[in-house]
Amino acid sequence: QVKLVESGGGSVQAGGSLRLSCVASGDGISGDCMAWFRQFSEVEREGVASINDLGIINYADSVYGGNVKRRFTISRDRAKNILYLDMNSLNPEDTAMYYCATGTCSWASRQRPSLLPGEYTDWGQGTQVTVSS
């Protein structure tokens, strides 16, 4: 069984940055797809960024700023089983609980890792990100 523990959340002002980390432990992690999701109060979790076992990355449209510059970067240290999310140019609309998740990569996810919650089977407990204006 896989255990995921997120950290790095906190309160920042608009324009600030945070780095989220997710430490994974258990069997079969290195071959799995991993992703970051976020949840705004009671609405469904939305995918932010995902990465598969081949290193292919997929970002949600929400991580791009008004000038189309990508604000978030997902990365993975496979040797240490840590997933990261570097977030820059944060704005109040990024305020949410952030979760990391992992699941077996499907054939489709090896082409483009999924951002759908249903594709992931193991979840962390979440870390809160609050951005003030």
Side-chain angles (χ1 to χ4, degrees), residues 7-20 69-73 85-92 94 98 128-132:
S7 62
S11 297
V12 296
Q13 290 191 326
S17 300
L18 284 173
R19 175 177 240 203
L20 305 185
K69 181 178 180 181
R70 179 166 44 81
R71 300 182 298 127
F72 296 180
T73 300
L85 184 68
D86 290 294
M87 304 188 295
N88 299 305
S89 301
L90 286 163
N91 58 60
D94 296 315
Y98 284 72
Q128 178 67 38
V129 171
T130 302
V131 185
S132 58

Side-chain angles (χ1 to χ4, degrees), residues 95-123:
T95 295
M97 183 72 80
Y98 284 72
Y99 298 87
C100 75
T102 188
T104 301
C105 292
S106 64
W107 180 88
S109 286
R110 283 203 159 82
Q111 318 308 312
R112 187 181 188 192
S114 175
L115 289 172
L116 298 176
E119 297 289 314
Y120 297 86
T121 54
D122 297 286
W123 294 80

Side-chain angles (χ1 to χ4, degrees), residues 16-68:
S17 300
L18 284 173
R19 175 177 240 203
L20 305 185
S21 299
C22 172
V23 178
S25 59
D27 298 329
I29 301 169
S30 62
D32 283 347
C33 283
M34 299 192 76
W36 287 99
F37 289 81
R38 61 187 183 183
Q39 187 165 12
F40 311 99
S41 59
E42 298 181 355
V43 302
E44 184 177 342
R45 292 178 186 181
E46 70 170 28
V48 175
S50 57
I51 183 169
N52 66 16
D53 55 337
L54 300 176
I56 298 173
I57 291 172
N58 186 18
Y59 290 104
D61 291 343
S62 60
V63 309
Y64 291 89
N67 58 359
V68 199

